[in-house]
Amino acid sequence: MFRWSINRFCAGEEKRVGTRTVFVGHRPVSETDAYIEQKFCDNRIVSSKYTVWNFLPKNLFEQFRRIANFYFLIIFLVQVIVDTPTSPVTSGLPLFFVITVTAIKQGYEDWLRHRADNEVNKSSVFIVENAKQVKKDSEKIKVGDIVEVKADETFPCDLIFLASSNGDGTCYVMTASLDGESNFKTHYAVRDTAALRTDDDIDTLTATIECEQPQPDLYKFVGRINIYRSNQEPVARSLGPENLLLKGATLKNTKKIYGVAVYTGMETKMALNYQGKSQKRSVVEKSINAFLIVYLCILLSKATVCTTLKYIWQSNPFNDDPWYNQKTKKERETFKILSMFTDFLSFMVLFNFIIPVSMYVTVEMQKFLGSFFISWDQELYDEEIREGALVNTSDLNEELGQVEYVFTDKTGTLTENNMKFIECCIDGHKYKGGVSEVDGLSCTDGPLNYYGRAEKCREELFLRALCLCHTVQIKEGDTVDGLIVNPKPKCTYISSSPDEIALVEGAKKYGFTFLGLEGDYMKVQNQKNEIEKYQLLHVLNFDPVRRRMSVIVKTSTGRFLLFCKGADSSIFPRVPNDEIEQTKAHVERNAMDGYRTLCVAFKELTYEDYNKIDVQLCEAKMALQDREEKMARIFDDIESDMHLIGATAVEDRLQEHAAETIEALQAAGMKIWVLTGDKMETAKSTCYASRLFQTNTELLELTTRAMGDSERKEDRLHELLLEYHKKLLQDIPKYRANLKRSWTASQEYGLIIDGSTLSLMLNPSQDSSSSNYKSIFLQICLKCTAVLCCRMAPLQKAQIVRMVKNTKGNPVTLSVGDGANDVSMILEAHVGIGIKGKEGRQAARNSDCAVPKFRHLRKLLLVHGHLYYVRIAHLVQYFFYKNLCFILPQFLYQFFCGFSQQPLYDAAYLTMYNICFTSLPILAYSLLEQHINIETLTSDPRLYMKISNNAMLQWKPFLYWTFLGTFEGLVFFFGVYFLFENSSLEDNGKVFGNWMFGTIVFTILVFTVTLKLALDTRFWTWMNHFVIWGSLAFYVFFSFFWGGIIWPFLKQQRMYFVFAHVVMSVSAWLVIVLLISISLFPEILLIVFKNAKRKTHQEHPLSSCSLKLPAITAFLGMNKTKPFNLPMLLSYKPLENGYISEMKVEGAVNNLTQRYRLRLPQTQQL
C-alpha cells in the first residue's frame, strides 16, 4: 500500500499529477496490503439548480440581478418607506406578477430536472460482488465497482471495458445521446481480461487502473491497467478511448459486458459536458437597453421639473400653507433639502410606469413561444432523417433577420457527405468502372486509353491497401443505423466515416472484398476468391493535424507492411519526388471535377524495424502524461520514406437546392464565405457548382501556390496584398468604399486563401517588415462578394469569424456546419446553425438552431428571421409608445394640481394597465403577425434587406414612435380638459370630479393604444380578434366591477359608480369617440399616403412590387393566380443604400424569376 501512496503523492514521473488509481473490485493488490477505501464522488447525477430549501432565496437573488427588476424593487421600497402619492401596490403587484411568473417557470423547469435525475439515480444496476450479482440503485455505484450491463441498457457511469459475451472481446455502442451519432462504435477489451466472461471469472481479477482525472472531452482518454497474477510479474496494458464506455451511451448487439467504474456521478464525461455555452446578446436586446436609458432620462427629467416647479409654486406662502390644508408642526420643522429629496422620490414613483417592466416578461414569452413555430414548420422537416428544425437558444430568433455574413462548411453542409467511389489511379494509370475480365481490372475509358495499365502486382497491392487501411467493421444479421451499405445480403459495413465505406466498396468493385476481423486477423477475399489473412498489429488512427491514417499488418508469409492513406498534402512530402508527378496530375484533375481525393502509400518494414516501432508505440501508449504528443512524434517517424501507390477519387454530391439557397442569400444582401479543410481545387469546383462563384467573378488567390517558392514568403504575401488592395480600391467608387456591406458595382471579385497563408498573415514572423497584414487582408475580404478559405483547421475557422465580427460596425455573423470541426466557428459567430448531418451531432448540439439540410437555411432566414425581427421590433417600440401615452397625461396633470403628486388614475388602473388591459394583444401580434405573406418573402429575397442593420430599432423610428406617443398623450389630456371647462355635464347638474376626469382619459388611452395595434395588424386570425376585442371587453367589465356595479361590496372605495356615470354621459361618449379618432387620424393618414405613393411608383421594384404569380403559386400549392402589392411598415428603411450591386441583384432575381416564372416589373434603378 505504501508503494501506491508513493505513486500518487510523490514528485517526478511516478507522481503522475492529475491521475487517479482505481482498485478493480475494491481488492488490494496483495493479501498483505490493507485496502483503504478511496474518496471519490458518488454516482448521483444532479442537473437541477435548486433545492426546496434554497429555491426562494436563490431564485430571488438571480431575478433581482436584472436591472429592471431591481429598479422596480427600489421604487416599491420607496413607496413603502416614503409617503408617496400612489399605493405600494401599484408597483409591488406588477413586480410580484413578473417575479412570480418567472419563478413558476423556472421552478417547473427545475422540477422536471429533479424528476429526470431521480429516474436516472434510482434506476437498477447489477454489481458483481464476491462472484454474485447484487442489485443496487445507480446512485450507489462507487468507483472500482464491477458493473454488468446487458443489451440495450444504458451505461450507468463511465466504465473501463473488461469483457463481453463476444469471444473476441468487442462490443458495439451507440452514443446518440452524447454526440448524436447513430452509427455503432466498436469498443475493445484488453486481451488479458477479454476471456473473463462469467461472474466467477471476473471476480478472480486483481488489477489497478491508473488514469487521468475527469475531463469533458468525449473523445480523449489516457490510462493503463496493471493486472496482477499470483507468482507472476504484473502485466501493464494501455487504455484509450476505445476501452472507455461512457455514461449515457447504449450497449447494442452484445448480450452483456463487464466494466469497472472509473468516473461516477458529476465526474462522468456526460455530466462535465452540462456546462452551458457563452451568453450571446442580440442587437434587439442592445437596442432595448439604449431605449431604456433614454426613457430613464425622461423619467428623471420629469421628476426634476415637477420638483423644481413645485417649490417655485410654493414660494408663494398662500400656495405653500393654505388655510384649508395647513402644515403640521413636523412638516414645518423638516429640513428643506430632505423635503425636496422626498418629493423627488415621490415624483419618481408617480412617473415610474414609463419604464415598462412587463416588457421583459412579454419579450421572453415571445421568444420562447415563437421558437416553437420553427420546430413546427413542416417545410423544415426532412423525411430522410425523420427530424425537423430544433431551436436550442430562443433568445436569438430575431437575430436570424439581421445576418450580414454567412460562414459555411463545405463537406456535409453544402454537400451530402454521401460518398460514392468514382475512380482510382495506380502508378499514374487511371481505372474507372468495375471488373470486366476474370483476371483483373477494367482499363481506362474514354480519351485516357493511352494511360494503359499498371503492373498486376501493383494493382493488387493498391487494392489490398484499400481493404486493410481503415477502421470499418462488419456486422452480420442485424440492420444498423448510421452509415450502411450491404456487401452481402446478411452483412453490413459499419464506420463512423463515409469515406472509408466508399473506399472498401470501391475495392470490392475491382474484386477485393473485405470480410471483416477474426480476432487480430483481417480477412480479404481476392479476385481468385481466395481468403487472405493479415494480422493487424497496430492502427495509427486518423487525426485532423496529420490528415492521414495507417495500419501495420503482418502477412501470412511473415512480411511486415505499413499502409497509409491521407490527403495529398500529407502524403506527397513523405514519398520520393519521382513517384509524385503522374499521380499528382490525376489528383489535380479529380479535384477540378469536384471529387474528394486520397493518396495511398506503403512501406515494407524489416523485422528489426517493426520490433523497434512496436516498443516505441507500447511505451507511448503506456504514458499517462503527454501521451498524444509522444504518439504524434512516433507516428511522424513511422510514416516516412514511404512509396506512393496511387490515389482515389470519391464523389460527394452537392445537396439538393444548395445552389438556389446560396443564390437567394446573396440576393438578400448577405456575403457568403466557405470555410473548409478540403484542397483548393475541390472546394473551388464546389463553389462554382453552388453558384457562389459566377463565371464573371474574378478570383484573387492568396495561397501557397500563388506565392510560389519564394524564400521570403512574407514579402511576397505583402506584395500580393497591396496589389489586390489597389485593384479593389480602383474598381470601387469612393462614395461606396466605406459601406459595411458594399459590393462592387462593375466587377465582382472572389478571394481564395488557404490555411498556411492565413497562419502567415495572422501570425507574421518577428522580423517581418509588414505588421499590417491583417488590416489589409480584412479590407480585401470585405470588398469581395465571396470568399473561399480552404485547408482550414477548426481553430482557423473560428479566427476568421472572430476577425469579421469584430470589424467596424460589428456586422452580424452566422456560422453553419455539420461536424465537430465546425463547433468552434459555430460558438464564435453571433448565430450558430448546426446541420443534422452524418458527421455526428456535435455541431447541432452546440448550435443556437439546428436544421436537417442547408436548403432549410433559406426559409429560416428569409421568412422566420424576417418575421421574428419585425414582430419583436414592433413589440419593443409599442411598449415604449403605450407607456409614454400612459404617463404623459399624469405628468401634465401635475401642472393643474399644484404639483401635489395627486395621481390622475386610480391605483387599480395603474396596476392593471400593463398586466391585463394591454399585454395580450401585443403578445399575440408578436407571435402571429405576417406583414408580408410567406410566399412573397420566400420568392423575393431582396425584402430581407429592408430590415437589415436593425432598421426598425434605429433612432429615427424610435423618435417617430416617441412623437406619436407624445402627440396622443397631449390629445388625451387636453381633449378631456377642454371638455371639463364646463364642469356640469349631467342632466341633473352633477359636477364631474378628478376620478371621472382620470377615468375618461384612461378609457381613451386603453382604446386608442389597442386600436393602434389593430391598425398595424395585417394578418388577422381568430386569436388576434379574441385578444384585441376581448381585452377591451375585459376593461369595460373590470371597470363596472371595480365601480361597484357588478360587485356591490366594493361600494366604499373612491371609484364607486364612476365608470357608470361616464357611460351614462352623452358628452363623455362624444369626447371618447372624438379623441380616439383624432389620435389615430395621423396614423391612418400616413398609411393612406404611403400606400398611394407606392402605387404611383410602380417602377421601384422593392418599395412596391406588383407581382403576378402563376408559377410560384402552383409551386407553393396555391390554386389562384392573383396580383398582390407588398405592404410597407412605417419603420422600413428605403433601399437606396448602395448595399448591393445591380449586377448581383438582377442576376439573382432573374434566376429566381426564371426558376419560378415570375413576372417582375422592369428594374430601373436601385
Side-chain angles (χ1 to χ4, degrees):
M1 197 64 201
F2 176 74
R3 179 162 59 89
W4 294 111
S5 301
I6 291 293
N7 286 347
R8 292 191 68 192
F9 301 110
C10 290
E13 171 65 15
E14 291 299 314
K15 179 183 176 183
R16 311 206 191 285
V17 177
T19 64
R20 62 168 55 181
T21 300
V22 178
F23 292 86
V24 177
H26 307 289
R27 284 184 287 274
V29 173
S30 66
E31 295 180 357
T32 58
D33 290 336
Y35 174 70
I36 301 176
E37 186 174 358
Q38 297 167 290
K39 298 296 183 183
F40 298 112
C41 74
D42 58 27
N43 198 40
R44 283 186 303 153
I45 286 293
V46 181
S47 62
S48 55
K49 196 174 183 180
Y50 308 107
T51 65
V52 174
W53 309 109
N54 70 9
F55 173 73
L56 196 59
K58 191 173 182 179
N59 185 265
L60 290 176
F61 173 75
E62 290 177 351
Q63 290 206 56
F64 284 118
R65 288 171 63 185
R66 297 186 68 167
I67 295 176
N69 290 345
F70 184 73
Y71 162 78
F72 271 88
L73 176 64
I74 296 299
I75 293 294
F76 172 71
L77 293 177
V78 168
Q79 287 179 292
V80 171
I81 297 170
V82 180
D83 184 18
T84 56
T86 57
S87 168
V89 176
T90 58
S91 293
L93 189 59
L95 179 63
F96 176 77
F97 173 77
V98 170
I99 296 296
T100 303
V101 169
T102 307
I104 291 173
K105 172 179 172 288
Q106 294 178 351
Y108 174 71
E109 291 174 348
D110 204 62
W111 176 76
L112 293 178
R113 296 190 197 102
H114 273 283
R115 190 173 67 173
D117 290 345
N118 285 331
E119 288 179 1
V120 174
N121 294 332
K122 299 298 181 182
S123 60
S124 298
V125 295
F126 290 94
I127 296 172
V128 179
E129 294 180 357
N130 300 320
K132 296 181 180 179
Q133 291 189 10
V134 179
K135 187 176 181 180
K136 290 185 178 182
D137 289 340
S138 175
E139 64 183 359
K140 294 182 179 178
I141 295 176
K142 298 178 181 178
V143 171
D145 284 345
I146 298 177
V147 182
E148 182 188 86
V149 181
K150 296 181 179 178
D152 297 321
E153 290 182 353
T154 299
F155 300 119
C157 58
D158 289 351
L159 304 169
I160 291 297
F161 182 23
L162 297 177
S164 76
S165 56
N166 297 339
D168 56 359
T170 62
C171 71
Y172 297 100
V173 173
M174 186 172 70
T175 59
S177 61
L178 297 174
D179 58 13
E181 295 187 21
S182 58
N183 54 294
F184 293 175
K185 297 180 176 66
T186 307
H187 287 254
Y188 305 89
V190 293
R191 60 176 178 266
D192 302 87
T193 64
L196 308 175
R197 296 197 290 270
T198 66
D199 296 342
D200 293 327
D201 292 339
I202 203 72
D203 194 58
T204 63
L205 177 64
T206 301
T208 59
I209 294 173
E210 295 175 89
C211 59
E212 61 186 355
Q213 291 292 356
Q215 52 99 357
D217 195 322
L218 297 175
Y219 309 101
K220 290 183 181 179
F221 176 75
V222 175
R224 69 183 175 208
I225 182 170
N226 302 292
I227 302 170
Y228 298 86
R229 297 186 177 95
S230 59
N231 302 322
Q232 295 184 18
E233 285 294 319
V235 177
R237 302 294 182 196
S238 65
L239 299 173
E242 69 277 5
N243 308 115
L244 183 68
L245 305 174
L246 299 177
K247 177 182 176 65
T250 306
L251 183 66
K252 291 290 185 181
N253 294 338
T254 308
K255 290 183 179 179
K256 69 174 182 178
I257 65 99
Y258 292 103
V260 57
V262 287
Y263 304 131
T264 52
M266 299 308 293
E267 290 183 344
T268 59
K269 290 182 180 290
M270 184 181 76
L272 294 175
N273 277 276
Y274 280 155
Q275 57 187 3
K277 304 184 287 290
S278 58
Q279 188 68 27
K280 297 180 179 180
R281 296 176 61 207
S282 67
V283 292
V284 170
E285 188 176 346
K286 296 174 185 176
S287 298
I288 290 175
N289 292 338
F291 296 162
L292 275 176
I293 292 174
V294 172
Y295 270 69
L296 187 60
C297 292
I298 294 175
L299 173 62
L300 293 171
S301 301
K302 286 183 175 181
T304 303
V305 168
C306 286
T307 304
T308 304
L309 293 178
K310 175 178 181 177
Y311 281 89
I312 292 176
W313 188 77
Q314 289 182 350
S315 60
N316 184 338
F318 177 76
N319 294 333
D320 186 31
D321 193 12
W323 61 268
Y324 55 85
N325 189 20
Q326 293 184 354
K327 290 182 177 180
T328 63
K329 182 179 180 181
K330 183 179 179 181
E331 289 175 336
R332 290 191 179 95
E333 293 175 353
T334 303
F335 288 108
K336 194 166 187 177
I337 298 298
L338 181 59
S339 178
M340 291 180 68
F341 180 70
T342 303
D343 285 331
F344 176 79
L345 291 179
S346 298
F347 281 117
M348 286 280 290
V349 169
L350 190 64
F351 303 141
N352 80 85
F353 289 96
I354 197 172
I355 305 296
V357 65
S358 59
M359 180 180 67
Y360 285 97
V361 176
T362 309
V363 167
E364 282 193 7
M365 292 178 66
Q366 190 269 349
K367 290 183 175 183
F368 175 71
L369 297 175
S371 63
F372 288 103
F373 287 92
I374 295 178
S375 303
W376 293 337
D377 192 335
Q378 290 299 311
E379 293 184 19
L380 301 184
Y381 182 83
D382 186 69
E383 291 289 346
E384 181 181 350
I385 64 173
R386 296 185 178 277
E387 290 186 43
L390 175 67
V391 178
N392 296 321
T393 309
S394 60
D395 290 341
L396 300 173
N397 291 342
E398 67 277 7
E399 202 82 335
L400 296 170
Q402 295 297 300
V403 175
E404 300 178 43
Y405 286 86
V406 176
F407 300 92
T408 176
D409 178 41
K410 183 184 79 69
T411 305
T413 304
L414 293 178
T415 60
E416 292 181 350
N417 202 15
N418 187 12
M419 309 302 175
K420 179 182 178 183
F421 186 88
I422 300 298
E423 63 183 53
C424 61
C425 159
I426 306 174
D427 287 343
H429 301 281
K430 177 182 175 184
Y431 294 82
K432 190 171 186 178
V435 177
S436 59
E437 303 173 12
V438 176
D439 61 341
L441 308 179
S442 63
C443 296
T444 303
D445 57 344
L448 296 174
N449 285 323
Y450 61 84
Y451 276 105
R453 289 176 55 177
E455 297 177 5
K456 181 71 173 177
C457 62
R458 299 287 288 182
E459 292 177 351
E460 294 181 349
L461 181 66
F462 176 80
L463 294 174
R464 288 189 177 98
L466 295 187
C467 286
L468 297 172
C469 189
H470 56 73
T471 57
V472 173
Q473 297 286 328
I474 284 186
K475 179 62 186 175
E476 296 184 4
D478 294 318
T479 302
V480 179
D481 294 337
L483 304 172
I484 298 170
V485 292
N486 292 312
K488 292 183 178 181
K490 295 185 179 181
C491 292
T492 300
Y493 282 163
I494 307 170
S495 176
S496 58
S497 168
D499 298 77
E500 290 196 325
I501 292 179
L503 295 180
V504 172
E505 279 294 293
K508 185 188 173 190
K509 286 171 58 179
Y510 293 117
F512 276 74
T513 304
F514 173 62
L515 299 179
L517 274 168
E518 189 177 89
D520 291 337
Y521 288 87
M522 303 179 77
K523 296 191 300 181
V524 176
Q525 181 179 337
N526 61 25
Q527 293 172 336
K528 299 177 182 179
N529 292 328
E530 298 172 345
I531 305 298
E532 302 176 359
K533 289 189 176 182
Y534 298 86
Q535 185 180 2
L536 180 61
L537 301 174
H538 291 286
V539 177
L540 282 57
N541 287 316
F542 175 87
D543 65 69
V545 178
R546 286 167 49 241
R547 297 179 63 80
R548 59 185 181 273
M549 71 89 62
S550 302
V551 295
I552 300 176
V553 296
K554 182 180 178 181
T555 67
S556 57
T557 59
R559 296 170 62 197
F560 294 92
L561 297 176
L562 178 141
F563 292 108
C564 179
K565 72 168 186 277
D568 58 322
S569 59
S570 65
I571 298 292
F572 285 165
R574 300 176 177 274
V575 299
N577 290 331
D578 57 350
E579 298 179 0
I580 295 176
E581 290 305 318
Q582 288 182 318
T583 303
K584 186 177 181 181
H586 283 271
V587 169
E588 291 180 349
R589 185 181 298 111
N590 288 331
M592 290 294 292
D593 293 336
Y595 299 141
R596 292 166 60 89
T597 59
L598 285 176
C599 294
V600 181
F602 90 106
K603 179 169 73 171
E604 185 167 358
L605 304 172
T606 64
Y607 181 76
E608 292 75 15
D609 289 339
Y610 170 72
N611 283 337
K612 180 182 176 181
I613 290 171
D614 186 55
V615 171
Q616 290 176 335
L617 286 174
C618 289
E619 288 180 354
K621 288 179 180 178
M622 296 302 294
L624 294 184
Q625 300 294 325
D626 304 322
R627 177 186 291 186
E628 292 183 356
E629 291 77 4
K630 294 176 182 177
M631 296 283 284
R633 287 194 294 269
I634 296 172
F635 288 175
D636 193 61
D637 292 336
I638 296 173
E639 297 168 330
S640 60
D641 300 323
M642 298 184 294
H643 295 280
L644 188 64
I645 315 174
T648 62
V650 175
E651 182 182 24
D652 187 10
R653 293 180 180 176
L654 202 66
Q655 280 191 20
E656 187 181 7
H657 299 307
E660 291 85 349
T661 301
I662 286 181
E663 197 172 43
L665 297 183
Q666 286 183 321
M670 300 176 219
K671 289 187 177 181
I672 301 178
W673 294 29
V674 175
L675 313 180
T676 178
D678 267 358
K679 62 171 59 65
M680 184 184 74
E681 292 79 8
T682 305
K684 187 161 67 172
S685 174
T686 302
C687 288
Y688 276 112
S690 62
R691 302 176 195 164
L692 182 67
F693 293 156
Q694 306 291 337
T695 53
N696 63 334
T697 302
E698 182 177 343
L699 298 181
L700 310 176
E701 283 192 25
L702 285 173
T703 60
T704 306
R705 185 176 68 181
M707 290 190 294
D709 299 326
S710 174
E711 294 182 0
R712 290 290 300 168
K713 290 188 176 181
E714 280 106 341
D715 295 339
R716 176 58 181 156
L717 176 61
H718 192 213
E719 292 174 7
L720 285 173
L721 287 171
L722 292 177
E723 177 187 341
Y724 295 157
H725 189 258
K726 183 178 179 181
K727 176 184 289 190
L728 289 170
L729 282 180
Q730 287 178 347
D731 192 74
I732 297 176
K734 292 182 179 179
Y735 69 90
R736 296 178 61 182
N738 61 348
L739 287 176
K740 180 171 59 178
R741 298 174 66 181
S742 63
W743 286 11
T744 53
S746 57
Q747 172 65 50
E748 291 185 5
Y749 290 95
L751 179 68
I752 301 176
I753 183 170
D754 60 16
S756 57
T757 309
L758 182 67
S759 298
L760 198 64
M761 199 171 317
L762 299 181
N763 307 295
S765 60
Q766 296 291 334
D767 59 345
S768 175
S769 59
S770 174
S771 60
N772 60 342
Y773 286 157
K774 189 175 178 180
S775 61
I776 299 176
F777 168 67
L778 189 56
Q779 292 178 46
I780 294 172
C781 287
L782 297 182
K783 290 179 173 64
C784 291
T785 57
V787 178
L788 167 62
C789 303
C790 49
R791 297 295 194 192
M792 290 281 121
L795 185 60
Q796 289 179 315
K797 292 183 178 183
Q799 287 178 322
I800 289 283
V801 176
R802 187 184 308 117
M803 180 182 67
V804 173
K805 84 171 190 178
N806 291 334
T807 57
K808 185 179 179 181
N810 301 114
V812 177
T813 57
L814 179 144
S815 291
V816 54
D818 71 315
N821 60 332
D822 302 315
V823 170
S824 55
M825 74 170 182
I826 285 174
L827 295 177
E828 185 64 44
H830 292 96
V831 184
I833 304 295
I835 301 293
K836 298 178 179 180
K838 298 179 180 179
E839 293 186 11
R841 297 294 172 86
Q842 297 96 318
R845 288 172 61 244
N846 287 277
S847 65
D848 301 306
C849 182
V851 292
K853 292 288 188 291
F854 183 80
R855 69 174 184 269
H856 297 138
L857 207 61
R858 177 175 181 173
K859 187 172 185 183
L860 186 68
L861 298 182
L862 302 187
V863 178
H864 289 290
H866 188 119
L867 292 176
Y868 280 130
Y869 174 77
V870 170
R871 291 166 181 168
I872 199 167
H874 199 282
L875 182 151
V876 171
Q877 299 279 30
Y878 179 79
F879 255 97
F880 284 107
Y881 148 79
K882 73 184 183 70
N883 278 33
L884 181 59
C885 293
F886 181 41
I887 290 303
L888 183 59
Q890 178 78 75
F891 171 70
L892 297 174
Y893 186 62
Q894 298 307 303
F895 289 85
F896 297 88
C897 67
F899 305 98
S900 61
Q901 300 153 13
Q902 168 67 34
L904 176 62
Y905 312 118
D906 181 69
Y909 289 155
L910 287 171
T911 304
M912 302 283 283
Y913 177 71
N914 279 317
I915 296 179
C916 299
F917 298 151
T918 60
S919 58
L920 288 180
I922 185 59
L923 177 61
Y925 177 95
S926 64
L927 291 173
L928 304 172
E929 173 64 4
Q930 295 179 23
H931 61 290
I932 300 176
N933 65 66
I934 291 176
E935 292 80 6
T936 307
L937 289 173
T938 305
S939 61
D940 192 354
R942 297 172 296 176
L943 293 169
Y944 189 86
M945 289 188 292
K946 300 188 75 174
I947 59 168
S948 62
N949 290 330
N950 200 18
M952 295 181 66
L953 289 175
Q954 296 291 346
W955 291 110
K956 185 176 179 181
F958 174 72
L959 291 176
Y960 166 78
W961 282 91
T962 303
F963 168 78
L964 192 63
T966 304
F967 167 76
E968 292 180 4
L970 292 171
V971 170
F972 300 159
F973 182 81
F974 287 108
V976 180
Y977 174 77
F978 290 134
L979 170 70
F980 270 64
E981 283 188 336
N982 179 10
S983 58
S984 179
L985 297 176
E986 296 192 36
D987 296 337
N988 57 9
K990 186 175 180 179
V991 178
F992 282 2
N994 65 311
W995 296 118
M996 187 77 75
F997 180 85
T999 301
I1000 295 176
V1001 171
F1002 191 81
T1003 302
I1004 298 170
L1005 164 69
V1006 170
F1007 274 80
T1008 300
V1009 297
T1010 305
L1011 292 176
K1012 165 71 170 71
L1013 191 62
L1015 280 176
D1016 291 339
T1017 302
R1018 292 182 173 84
F1019 185 77
W1020 285 90
T1021 66
W1022 69 267
M1023 183 68 72
N1024 295 95
H1025 285 288
F1026 177 77
V1027 296
I1028 287 178
W1029 314 125
S1031 293
L1032 295 178
F1034 176 75
Y1035 165 70
V1036 175
F1037 171 82
F1038 178 81
S1039 296
F1040 280 119
F1041 172 83
W1042 191 242
I1045 303 298
I1046 298 176
W1047 191 253
F1049 299 102
L1050 295 171
K1051 63 182 180 180
Q1052 303 300 327
Q1053 52 99 24
R1054 61 193 178 190
M1055 293 297 291
Y1056 179 67
F1057 239 74
V1058 170
F1059 190 76
H1061 287 156
V1062 170
V1063 297
M1064 287 188 294
S1065 171
V1066 177
S1067 302
W1069 274 102
L1070 178 63
V1071 76
I1072 289 172
V1073 173
L1074 181 62
L1075 293 182
I1076 291 174
S1077 302
I1078 293 174
S1079 300
L1080 296 177
F1081 180 73
E1083 183 79 4
I1084 297 172
L1085 190 65
L1086 190 59
I1087 293 174
V1088 172
F1089 173 75
K1090 283 188 173 289
N1091 287 336
K1093 182 180 178 182
R1094 193 170 71 250
K1095 290 180 180 179
T1096 58
H1097 290 80
Q1098 291 293 329
E1099 70 275 4
H1100 196 301
L1102 292 178
S1103 64
S1104 176
C1105 297
S1106 181
L1107 308 180
K1108 300 197 181 283
L1109 299 176
I1112 187 65
T1113 51
F1115 175 76
L1116 296 169
M1118 299 166 61
N1119 296 322
K1120 295 182 179 179
T1121 301
K1122 60 179 181 180
F1124 66 92
N1125 292 324
L1126 302 182
M1128 174 181 289
L1129 290 183
L1130 296 177
S1131 46
Y1132 257 24
K1133 67 177 181 182
L1135 274 157
E1136 296 86 357
N1137 51 22
Y1139 277 3
I1140 187 168
S1141 70
E1142 296 174 16
M1143 291 176 60
K1144 177 65 75 174
V1145 171
E1146 292 178 2
V1149 173
N1150 286 338
N1151 287 331
L1152 288 170
T1153 53
Q1154 289 172 9
R1155 187 174 306 112
Y1156 299 123
R1157 299 190 293 277
L1158 297 176
R1159 295 198 293 273
L1160 292 175
Q1162 184 69 28
T1163 302
Q1164 299 294 335
Q1165 180 66 39
L1166 279 177

